[in-house]
Amino acid sequence: MQTVEFHTPFGSISQRVVCSYLRSLSEYTFILPEGLEPAREAEMEASQRDLHAFFTALYEALYRTPATFGMSEAADMYVNREGNGGSKDQQEVNQKLKTARKPIVEWLTFLMAAGKEGAVEGQRLVFPPEIGESYLKKTRTAKKFLPGLASFGLSLSVTPQTAALECSGFPAMMPALQALASACTQFADARVSLFHFGRCDFKALRQGYEVAPEDLYRIFNPPDAVRAASLHRYFMGRHYKAIVNIAGVETWLVQYQGNRKIKSTPLFQIQFDERKVVQRQVQFKCVSANRIAGLIQRQSKALQDDFFRRKNNCNGDRCNWCEGKKGLGPSVLAHEGQEYTICWYINPDMTDFNDGTIELIKEYEQMHDALLLAA
């Protein structure tokens, strides 16, 4: 299948949802589970390959023919507060995407539970019947989702005594499924558990595993992924701390926290948000404008133009939000022969993300670093 990249609009709302899983899929990396007997290493490696191939085939099929799995073929939906298409109502988009994603979430939740509680018998995974009954009886999507899985040779059988999963298309996958499910359920946050499991990320087998920002950035279309990774290396080289917040495959956030004497909250962040026209969101969160007012004129024309493009004009008595708030008053600055009275708050959104943006972000960071010298 040709590599799928994020775009707007997708052919259906289900394709938007599935694209997040398909592009989030971890690169295959064999990880030896802790405590596994050395004699079983070859078996486990073959099993991990089969499980990763199963996830890949599943997401590709879901993207190609979502209706085969009972998924919605409704038109794409996304947040677009400006321009044609999509919706300005974020709540509407949230609900429609949640509904479209539901069959995948319910399947992955069931599969992880079966793996955690199950035992491998030959090429079958055998687990308590109540787990299978719960999926079949309480999950409305199961009857439509399971026929799609049959194309991979996957079968689910449930009797009052036992339940079992078997997959003729990927017959070796069950030991890896059991190991990965057991490891993923150890995370305190259920969203993180499902995130690692849905990515088929075998690095989750390592105790205390945290996904690296560079791995997250692989979800972006290739040029953006390269630029995001380069900025990560830059901020790490400048001794920033990368703070990763996982809400799910559909949205996560990486924030870069620097010297708290400069700014007590993160200065820069990169976010993935499935709901947006452009899923890659980049923000540089300047300190209050009056703290850097004296530095702006010393910067490049590119930075000055960007700063004044993202400024907010002071609304004076129509706002008065900053009245009485120390250090958050308006500033008076001149740019290209015109004087502006601007708000302390600078719009953080950087809509462009090209090579010039990379240099601009670095210059902004170095300008903020100069605040230490002025202190």
Side-chain angles (χ1 to χ4, degrees):
M1 181 177 180
Q2 187 176 4
T3 301
V4 174
E5 294 187 3
F6 282 101
H7 55 277
T8 296
F10 283 90
S12 69
I13 191 169
S14 291
Q15 283 195 336
R16 176 175 290 269
V17 165
V18 177
C19 190
S20 298
Y21 288 91
L22 189 54
R23 289 198 62 87
S24 288
L25 193 65
S26 176
E27 289 185 324
Y28 171 72
T29 305
F30 172 63
I31 302 294
L32 186 67
E34 187 175 341
L36 187 74
E37 299 171 9
R40 294 189 58 203
E41 182 173 341
E43 173 197 347
M44 180 56 71
E45 185 170 8
S47 184
Q48 289 186 7
R49 287 188 183 278
D50 254 18
L51 182 62
H52 195 274
F54 167 76
F55 272 100
T56 303
L58 172 60
Y59 294 152
E60 287 181 344
L62 284 168
Y63 187 89
R64 188 170 53 248
T65 56
T68 303
F69 296 82
M71 293 187 67
S72 172
E73 291 186 287
D76 189 21
M77 179 58 71
Y78 48 92
V79 178
N80 187 15
R81 301 196 187 281
E82 300 176 1
N84 299 320
S87 172
K88 292 180 173 63
D89 186 349
Q90 185 164 292
Q91 291 303 313
E92 177 191 18
V93 175
N94 287 345
Q95 186 56 50
K96 290 190 175 181
L97 286 171
K98 182 179 179 180
T99 300
R101 186 180 301 107
K102 187 176 181 181
I104 303 176
V105 172
E106 290 180 337
W107 165 252
L108 292 175
T109 301
F110 156 71
L111 196 62
M112 189 163 62
K116 178 180 182 293
E117 300 298 332
V120 177
E121 295 182 1
Q123 294 181 345
R124 300 197 312 160
L125 179 72
V126 179
F127 50 94
E130 55 267 24
I131 294 175
E133 289 171 355
S134 179
Y135 180 62
L136 291 175
K137 293 179 179 180
K138 296 181 181 179
T139 306
R140 294 182 180 180
T141 62
K143 291 181 180 179
K144 295 180 180 179
F145 202 81
L146 286 170
L149 290 167
S151 64
F152 306 124
L154 189 140
S155 61
L156 168 64
S157 59
V158 180
T159 70
Q161 291 74 39
T162 190
L165 274 172
E166 192 168 2
C167 188
S168 60
F170 304 92
M173 66 182 258
M174 296 307 170
L177 170 61
Q178 182 192 38
L180 181 62
S182 297
C184 287
T185 53
Q186 299 303 309
F187 291 91
D189 190 331
R191 298 174 303 173
V192 174
S193 296
L194 201 62
F195 176 81
H196 292 318
F197 186 75
R199 294 180 72 235
C200 193
D201 189 351
F202 296 119
K203 291 188 289 295
L205 294 168
R206 294 171 174 159
Q207 193 72 25
Y209 172 65
E210 293 182 4
V211 64
E214 302 99 312
D215 286 345
L216 291 174
Y217 296 153
R218 289 180 56 252
I219 197 174
F220 298 138
N221 295 341
D224 284 355
V226 170
R227 292 181 184 115
S230 72
L231 280 170
H232 174 76
R233 292 191 295 271
Y234 172 79
F235 279 98
M236 291 299 96
R238 300 282 286 180
H239 306 295
Y240 280 69
K241 180 182 179 181
I243 305 167
V244 176
N245 297 282
I246 303 293
V249 167
E250 66 275 15
T251 183
W252 45 257
L253 173 69
V254 181
Q255 298 173 299
Y256 292 88
Q257 177 67 58
N259 191 322
R260 292 181 183 274
K261 292 180 180 179
I262 297 174
K263 191 170 187 285
S264 61
T265 56
L267 193 64
F268 177 67
Q269 67 180 46
I270 297 179
Q271 182 179 24
F272 170 74
D273 191 338
E274 175 186 271
R275 303 169 298 178
K276 302 296 180 65
V277 174
V278 177
Q279 294 82 4
R280 177 266 309 138
Q281 300 283 305
V282 176
Q283 292 186 329
F284 194 98
K285 298 189 171 185
C286 292
V287 298
S288 57
N290 51 14
R291 288 186 63 197
I292 51 176
L295 300 174
I296 296 296
Q297 303 297 335
R298 307 178 200 171
Q299 311 308 312
S300 70
K301 184 178 185 304
L303 187 144
Q304 291 184 48
D305 288 347
D306 179 78
F307 179 86
F308 281 94
R309 193 163 46 242
R310 294 195 286 128
K311 67 173 175 51
N312 290 294
N313 291 325
C314 176
N315 286 320
D317 291 339
R318 287 176 293 167
C319 175
N320 281 335
W321 182 91
C322 64
E323 187 174 358
K325 294 181 173 66
K326 185 178 179 181
L328 296 182
S331 300
V332 179
L333 291 174
H335 182 60
E336 295 187 339
Q338 187 172 347
E339 192 172 83
Y340 300 92
T341 300
I342 67 171
C343 176
W344 70 272
Y345 178 76
I346 305 301
N347 175 18
D349 297 327
M350 306 195 81
T351 52
D352 293 330
F353 196 53
N354 50 41
D355 292 344
T357 313
I358 304 302
E359 296 309 310
L360 195 59
I361 289 168
K362 293 177 181 179
E363 186 178 357
Y364 267 116
E365 188 276 329
Q366 291 163 25
M367 179 183 73
H368 279 74
D369 196 49
L371 290 171
L372 277 180
L373 299 177

